[in-house]
Amino acid sequence: MSDQVLLDIQNLSVGYLTRRGMAQAVQNVNLQIKKNEIVGIVGESGCGKSTLANAVMRLLPDGAYITEGSIKLEDTDIVTLSGETLRKFRWQEIAMVFQGAMNVLNPVKTVGSQFQHLLMAHNNAMTKAQALERAKELLRLVRIDENRLNSYAHELSGGMRQRIVIAMAIALNPKLVILDEPTTALDVIVQRSILAQIVKLKEEFGFSIMFISHDFNLVAEISNRVAVMYAGRMIELGSSTGKWGEHVHHPYTKGLIRAVPQLRATDTDEVIGIPGSLPSLLSLPEGCKFHPRCSFAKDICKLQSPPIQVIDEIQMECHLSPEELRDLNHARG
Ligand code: SF4
């Protein structure tokens, strides 16, 4: 992994205009992804992680707006791109793999013709035969027989379809690949196999990955750093995943870790959910957005936004002192 920053997100806010006002789905997010780095983004459904990814890809739905901040890929200011420049930029520079491959693949076209369309749309000089050769090469990379170029999506297993979508994502040698819950619909063994394949491709071709998931185990397995989002804010960033469970974490992150069964759990480890649910984006609480659900909230948490502090190289937004956070992580294990 290089120290060079590839993606630089500064103070980014994204809102959805609703009949009841602007819902702030992403608030003042700062994040850098280095070349060849995997950054995982985790949080409950609705925390803003997919909105963040869609903003980077400039694929926000109607009614959603970048209200503040900047997103740069090397020297390119993504927020200001438009028209043909934006169309070329997507997939060539940043590609995205969505959750449901069935929704991405065209059901009435063969896999081969979809590869040809993608490759030729981004390279006017490419012939059909050249596109077909490139498609075969891409299928080999994701360990799928080239005969599958003649198949339709419904003739393939879920795992095969997702591998094909991954092959399409890397077809134009992008610098950054965004994976938005790429394996959620698949069984655990296929998930692991596909993720191992993605990491291998990243090593071979040198792209960076933004990996979005609600599944801590998966994120911890493959990411170099992890960002945790809550109610649109990045409330923790920087965990070195090799020692994920041993680090001091934000109270919300600690709650998320305890809410999913751990791979190396002992008989005495309990799985405990976080009480309550995410607040409405239209009426976020004052102070720390997590305070109504936090067992450690103090009076100040209800009144003032928490400061950013760095503990053991992990950045987190919390009013607790480093000593209090260490005690809480030690006590709650
Ligand atoms: Fe809990 Fe307060 Fe920290 Fe928010 S700032 S996570 S409410 S202790």
Side-chain angles (χ1 to χ4, degrees):
M1 187 177 74
S2 146
D3 275 338
Q4 271 181 284
V5 172
L6 175 73
L7 182 76
D8 187 9
I9 299 173
Q10 292 289 336
N11 202 31
L12 184 74
S13 295
V14 181
Y16 289 89
L17 195 54
T18 73
R19 275 180 293 177
R20 289 170 49 217
M22 187 67 94
Q24 283 297 340
V26 171
Q27 276 190 40
N28 308 107
V29 163
N30 292 293
L31 175 70
Q32 284 84 42
I33 299 182
K34 295 172 194 157
K35 288 190 175 168
N36 205 225
E37 184 182 30
I38 305 180
V39 174
I41 301 187
V42 292
E44 293 163 283
S45 294
C47 70
K49 51 194 192 307
S50 290
T51 301
L52 176 66
N54 287 330
V56 171
M57 196 68 183
R58 290 287 309 283
L59 279 175
L60 289 169
D62 285 349
Y65 302 94
I66 293 172
T67 53
E68 198 179 357
S70 67
I71 312 170
K72 284 189 175 176
L73 188 87
E74 295 179 320
D75 293 331
T76 306
D77 182 351
I78 298 176
V79 177
T80 60
L81 293 178
S82 61
E84 184 63 7
T85 321
L86 176 59
R87 193 188 70 79
K88 289 259 179 202
F89 181 83
R90 280 191 206 124
W91 310 115
Q92 248 169 25
E93 303 289 326
I94 304 181
M96 190 158 171
V97 175
F98 300 90
Q99 189 177 134
M102 206 60 194
N103 302 330
V104 176
L105 294 172
N106 187 328
V108 297
K109 292 199 166 166
T110 62
V111 169
S113 65
Q114 291 179 71
F115 268 106
Q116 281 176 325
H117 177 77
L118 170 71
L119 292 162
M120 292 166 72
H122 285 268
N123 182 353
N124 294 336
M126 189 175 258
T127 64
K128 271 192 166 186
Q130 287 170 331
L132 201 58
E133 277 314 302
R134 173 72 175 140
K136 286 179 187 173
E137 187 186 328
L138 287 161
L139 282 200
R140 278 196 293 277
L141 286 173
V142 291
R143 297 208 313 260
I144 290 190
D145 191 292
E146 63 183 51
N147 289 330
R148 289 298 185 178
L149 287 173
N150 299 317
S151 301
Y152 292 88
H154 69 271
E155 296 173 318
L156 306 167
S157 69
M160 272 186 189
R161 287 198 291 265
Q162 205 58 322
R163 281 177 199 274
I164 285 168
V165 171
I166 289 162
M168 285 178 164
I170 63 166
L172 303 170
N173 295 319
K175 293 173 180 152
L176 174 68
V177 177
I178 301 175
L179 306 170
D180 189 359
E181 306 270 7
T183 56
T184 300
L186 306 172
D187 69 58
V188 174
I189 293 171
V190 178
Q191 273 188 358
R192 293 284 188 282
S193 159
I194 289 182
L195 287 177
Q197 191 79 48
I198 290 171
V199 173
K200 194 162 164 277
L201 291 169
K202 179 206 81 121
E203 292 305 326
E204 196 172 340
F205 297 104
F207 52 82
S208 307
I209 294 177
M210 180 191 279
F211 178 36
I212 292 168
S213 177
H214 65 278
D215 186 329
F216 264 72
N217 288 329
L218 281 186
V219 168
E221 265 182 57
I222 75 162
S223 304
N224 300 110
R225 287 186 300 146
V226 175
V228 181
M229 290 191 72
Y230 185 81
R233 297 193 67 85
M234 197 157 275
I235 49 110
E236 179 176 317
L237 172 65
S239 315
S240 157
T241 52
K243 295 178 184 165
W244 174 254
E246 296 164 27
H247 282 294
V248 173
H249 288 293
H250 186 279
Y252 174 65
T253 312
K254 200 70 182 166
L256 281 182
I257 294 171
R258 289 167 62 85
V260 292
Q262 300 300 300
L263 285 178
R264 295 173 195 86
T266 65
D267 289 346
T268 53
D269 286 339
E270 285 182 83
V271 175
I272 303 170
I274 302 171
S277 53
L278 280 170
S280 161
L281 296 175
L282 285 164
S283 55
L284 289 168
E286 291 294 313
C288 173
K289 310 300 173 228
F290 184 53
H291 83 72
R293 303 173 71 188
C294 181
S295 320
F296 311 97
K298 305 171 170 185
D299 288 345
I300 192 173
C301 303
K302 298 170 190 162
L303 302 169
Q304 288 180 20
S305 295
I308 295 174
Q309 51 180 323
V310 180
I311 304 171
D312 299 341
E313 297 181 14
I314 299 179
Q315 176 186 305
M316 62 188 88
E317 290 185 352
C318 185
H319 282 297
L320 298 183
S321 68
E323 292 70 34
E324 287 171 318
L325 283 161
R326 283 202 174 90
D327 286 348
L328 128 79
N329 277 261
H330 180 68
R332 309 271 295 179

